[in-house]
């Protein structure tokens, strides 16, 4: 747990392409008294940032060293090739490595796919970053192969992308230092795994968050009071008014006829 016991906080690292919005929103709903801070880190530096204590947990790209880091794989991304919109392969729904045999395939230094043999023709120099490679694709220098989330992150109106078959894939995981599996880390794991707020798994909520949860639960469980007179009991007639029939079997309040004259 970061911060003091009286004012806990949680720092969440994430690598480019990962969008933690959904999980952050659930955290803020469940633990409003514990602020969550997002820490953007390059993919190659994410694991080291966790080891240094720059964040309590983080969304990283596998593999990670399981000697000192725990990791829960979350999903595998589709690999795509980024191309100009007027490129010949933009006319097909899926591209194969053979389709790129005559293309210059850019290989940035921050590549996250871990190619053994990159398809196509190598560029003279490797771009420093994926963002630099995107600029070269827009200039018509070559094409770029990345996870789909990175293609979306660096979207440009003059570029598009297509799925690439038979290519390495990138897997995203939630990771944290094994020796720092704190209460707050456990609760974030529960959120990522889809556990409900009332799940018995995990550790107790921090005291501040417990009070918030109890207040909400108490308000939800309190029965609604009925308005007076809606409980189903019959209302008594007002004083001085008859609620039944008249003395001669007629309805109460009915006019009586005039007596006959004797002839």
């Amino acid at each position: 747990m970061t911060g003091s016991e009286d004012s806990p906080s949680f720092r969440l690292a994430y690598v480019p392409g990962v969008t933690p919005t959904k999980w952050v929103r659930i955290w803020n709903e469940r633990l409003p008294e514990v602020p969550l801070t997002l820490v953007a880190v390059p993919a190659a530096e994410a694991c080291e940032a966790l080891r240094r204590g720059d964040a309590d947990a983080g969304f990283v790209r596998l593999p990670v060293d399981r000697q000192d880091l725990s990791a829960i794989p979350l999903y595998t991304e589709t690999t795509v090739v980024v191309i100009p919109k007027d490129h010949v392969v933009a006319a097909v729904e899926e591209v194969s490595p053979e389709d790129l045999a005559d293309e210059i395939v850019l290989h940035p230094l921050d590549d996250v796919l871990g190619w053994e043999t990159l398809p196509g023709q190598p560029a003279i120099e490797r771009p420093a970053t994926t963002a630099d490679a995107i600029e070269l694709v827009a200039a018509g220098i070559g094409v770029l192969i990345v996870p789909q989330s990175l293609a979306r992150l660096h979207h440009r109106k003059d570029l598009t992308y297509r799925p690439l078959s038979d290519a390495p894939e990138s897997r995203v995981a939630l990771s944290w230092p094994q020796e720092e599996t704190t209460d707050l880390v456990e609760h974030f794991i529960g959120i990522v795994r889809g556990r409900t707020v009332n799940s018995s798994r995990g550790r107790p909520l921090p005291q501040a968050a417990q009070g918030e949860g109890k207040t909400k639960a108490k308000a939800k469980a309190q029965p609604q009071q009925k308005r007076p007179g809606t409980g189903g009991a019959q209302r008594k007639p007002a004083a001085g008014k008859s609620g039944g029939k008249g003395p001669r079997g007629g309805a109460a309040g009915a006019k009586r006829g005039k007596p006959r004259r004797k002839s």
Side-chain angles (χ1 to χ4, degrees):
M1 184 182 298
T2 59
S4 68
E5 292 297 325
D6 295 331
S7 56
S9 61
F10 190 73
R11 294 167 300 166
L12 179 66
Y14 68 102
V15 298
V18 174
T19 305
T21 308
K22 175 182 68 174
W23 297 296
V24 172
R25 174 180 54 79
I26 296 174
W27 175 280
N28 290 334
E29 290 173 354
R30 295 186 183 180
L31 288 85
E33 302 301 324
V34 182
L36 186 152
T37 303
L38 290 173
V39 181
V41 294
E45 300 176 15
C47 292
E48 191 58 35
L50 294 175
R51 293 189 181 98
R52 290 196 306 265
D54 294 346
D56 301 289
F59 291 110
V60 303
R61 295 188 182 275
L62 295 177
V64 302
D65 188 349
R66 299 299 184 97
Q67 294 293 327
D68 58 346
L69 295 177
S70 296
I72 301 173
L74 300 178
Y75 57 89
T76 300
E77 288 200 68
T78 299
T79 300
V80 302
V81 55
V82 181
I83 50 178
K85 280 192 172 181
D86 58 356
H87 196 282
V88 63
V89 301
V92 300
E93 294 184 357
E94 185 177 78
V95 182
S96 69
E98 290 74 20
D99 295 329
L100 303 178
D102 296 329
E103 300 288 340
I104 294 177
V105 178
L106 302 167
H107 191 199
L109 295 175
D110 63 356
D111 173 66
V112 297
L113 293 175
W115 288 92
E116 292 184 3
T117 303
L118 196 69
Q121 304 296 319
I124 297 176
E125 294 183 2
R126 294 182 62 180
T129 66
T130 297
D132 293 335
I134 289 288
E135 294 296 329
L136 295 175
V137 174
I141 303 299
V143 301
L144 175 66
I145 302 172
V146 291
Q148 184 171 321
S149 66
L150 290 181
R152 290 174 174 172
L153 178 65
H154 297 287
H155 170 72
R156 289 176 52 121
K157 292 182 178 180
D158 53 346
L159 301 181
T160 187
Y161 59 85
R162 293 291 183 271
L164 179 66
S165 62
D166 301 324
E169 296 174 319
S170 176
R171 292 193 298 161
V172 174
L174 175 67
S175 184
W176 67 95
Q178 292 180 3
E179 300 299 324
E180 298 295 334
T181 308
T182 64
D183 296 355
L184 294 179
V185 170
E186 287 282 6
H187 282 289
F188 194 78
I189 292 170
I191 289 172
V192 170
R193 283 183 162 171
R195 297 177 194 158
T196 64
V197 69
N198 295 321
S199 173
S200 59
R201 299 186 65 182
R203 302 181 186 178
L205 285 167
Q207 189 171 2
Q210 277 186 354
E212 180 77 13
K214 288 179 180 179
T215 301
K216 291 182 178 179
K218 184 176 180 181
K220 186 176 182 181
Q222 186 174 1
Q224 293 183 351
Q225 296 181 355
K226 296 182 178 179
R227 291 183 299 172
T230 60
Q234 294 183 352
R235 297 178 63 182
K236 294 182 180 181
K241 293 185 180 180
S242 173
K245 294 183 178 180
R248 295 191 178 182
K255 294 182 178 180
R256 299 174 62 183
K258 296 182 179 180
R260 293 182 181 180
R261 293 183 179 180
K262 294 182 180 180
S263 56

